[in-house]
Amino acid sequence: MKHLFIGAALALFGLPTLAAEGHAHGFAFGEPAPAAKATRTVEVVLKDIAFEPASLQVKAGETVRFVLINQGQLPHEFNLGDKAMHVEHQKQMVAMQGKIFTAGSQHEGMDHSQMGHGEHGHDGGNTVLLQPGQRGELTWTFRTSAPIEFACNVPGHYQAGMVGPLTIE
Ligand SMILES: [Cu+2]
């Protein structure tokens, strides 16, 4: 009984820390922005297992609103990041599988219980997870030119080729 209580307390303590991390603002290549700031809207269709279009081009300084439509039979993600970030996110996605309601699963427990609802913000607003048939949006201000990819980090999808280059000119 005592152990359970301590476990619950630890789990609760973990949450504020994580929330703080989740608010790390942006990345070298940019940061999330309100949709109203966007000067351009780009539609991206998520399929089993591909993106359409297969590559994206933006300008440094530009704010782009991505309208995301999952036309597949599987959940898919639209995640902006460099290769290292995608590798990290894939680890998180694997770790959270089947652990959504487990208090001991560190920071995965809270945020990923929201995953079915489209957006989960713990990665700095650079990712949206969509269930089959679902639509979502992500608006991003691009900064420094950097080799970025848009990718789906649902386990196995990146490896199967659900990733495309995003060029910041
Ligand atoms: Cu996918």
Side-chain angles (χ1 to χ4, degrees), residues 75-77 152 154 157 162:
H76 291 297
E77 182 196 33
C152 172
V154 171
H157 291 201
M162 196 162 178

Side-chain angles (χ1 to χ4, degrees), residues 22-41:
H23 289 272
H25 295 287
F27 303 96
F29 64 90
E31 70 272 334
K37 263 192 71 184
T39 51
R40 189 157 68 98
T41 297

Side-chain angles (χ1 to χ4, degrees), residues 49 90 92-97 152-159:
I49 292 199
Q90 283 158 32
Q92 293 176 7
M93 294 285 262
V94 169
M96 72 126 196
Q97 283 190 313
C152 172
N153 290 313
V154 171
H157 291 201
Y158 184 98
Q159 289 73 14

